[in-house]
Amino acid sequence: YPEFGTMFTPWASYTCTTAPNGFMTQIMPASFNYLICLADAIHVNNNWVAMAGVSRGVGNTIQALNTIPRLSNIIADAYQPRDAVALNAITNIKPYGLTIWGNRTLSKNSKGNLTALSFLNVRNLVSDVKKVAYRKAKEVIYEQDSEITWLKFKSGITPLLDQMRAGFGLQAYKIIRATTKYDGTPLAKGEMAAVIRLIPIYAL
């Protein structure tokens, strides 16, 4: 069974080609395989597509899963409930081989269904937007609180959002200049706030 708090399972034996003495076998956690698949896939794909399934989730360096009993496709599917915490399992998908079979975060989904942040690729997309928004916000600190400053901030984010829309990460987006903080309290003098609304395209 997977350890508590992990997003991927199980551990497995991997062929490590960068070992000091050449090839060697090393037992690594399942998240290692996710990072390998991500590193391979982002050469030709955006990081907001799911690193799972037979297109982008096949682990080419895995020798064997470190499990007893066998982690079957049925067990991997059972790790993906819609009303509780899910796990992304590595399982043998014939005829492709050992494959990441899941695209979920550790969201509890306590209301009984999935939300946008239940999906790992959407969470990656949101993280990218957050990084750009943070960087652009830092660039306008101590500028005059004017419409020009707002447009400078907004125009710094829209290229990424347009790229996400063109790359099938987003259906649509909207950037709104807010009049209150996220908790509903009014903005103080010298403060500017933005609401970035994202409508993602979900993976199957």
Side-chain angles (χ1 to χ4, degrees):
Y1 292 96
E3 297 178 9
F4 177 77
T6 59
M7 192 180 304
F8 296 91
T9 192
W11 287 54
S13 299
Y14 293 85
T15 300
C16 297
T17 58
T18 58
N21 299 322
F23 291 90
M24 67 173 293
T25 299
Q26 184 71 42
I27 297 178
M28 302 287 284
S31 54
F32 179 71
N33 186 55
Y34 174 80
L35 295 175
I36 290 175
C37 292
L38 177 63
D40 288 340
I42 59 177
H43 291 295
V44 293
N45 294 282
N46 297 306
N47 68 338
W48 55 76
V49 296
M51 301 302 159
V54 299
S55 296
R56 292 175 297 274
V58 176
N60 295 321
T61 61
I62 300 179
Q63 293 183 358
L65 299 180
N66 191 33
T67 58
I68 300 175
R70 181 175 67 91
L71 203 164
S72 66
N73 299 169
I74 294 174
I75 294 174
D77 286 337
Y79 284 163
Q80 301 280 305
R82 301 185 69 88
D83 57 355
V85 175
L87 291 168
N88 305 310
I90 300 172
T91 185
N92 185 22
I93 303 297
K94 296 179 180 180
Y96 302 97
L98 295 171
T99 304
I100 297 174
W101 205 244
N103 176 42
R104 298 279 291 280
T105 62
L106 294 175
S107 176
K108 294 182 180 179
N109 305 311
S110 57
K111 293 185 179 180
N113 208 342
L114 305 180
T115 66
L117 296 183
S118 300
F119 297 93
L120 183 55
N121 68 307
V122 176
R123 189 65 187 88
N124 289 340
L125 180 145
V126 171
S127 294
D128 287 349
V129 174
K130 183 178 179 181
K131 290 173 188 175
V132 172
Y134 176 84
R135 188 165 63 247
K136 295 305 173 182
K138 290 294 183 184
E139 291 179 6
V140 299
I141 289 180
Y142 301 116
E143 297 296 323
Q144 296 297 96
D145 186 5
S146 65
E147 190 66 20
I148 293 175
T149 301
W150 166 251
L151 292 175
K152 181 180 178 181
F153 169 77
K154 184 177 177 181
S155 64
I157 303 172
T158 51
L160 174 64
L161 298 176
D162 288 338
Q163 180 185 355
M164 289 175 168
R165 188 166 59 179
F168 303 105
L170 291 175
Q171 293 184 44
Y173 69 85
K174 193 170 186 179
I175 305 174
I176 304 166
R177 185 167 185 177
T179 57
T180 62
K181 299 179 183 180
Y182 64 90
D183 60 358
T185 58
L187 295 176
K189 290 181 179 180
E191 291 184 330
M192 185 175 72
V195 176
I196 304 173
R197 292 179 177 167
L198 307 175
I199 302 176
I201 296 176
Y202 295 102
L204 295 176

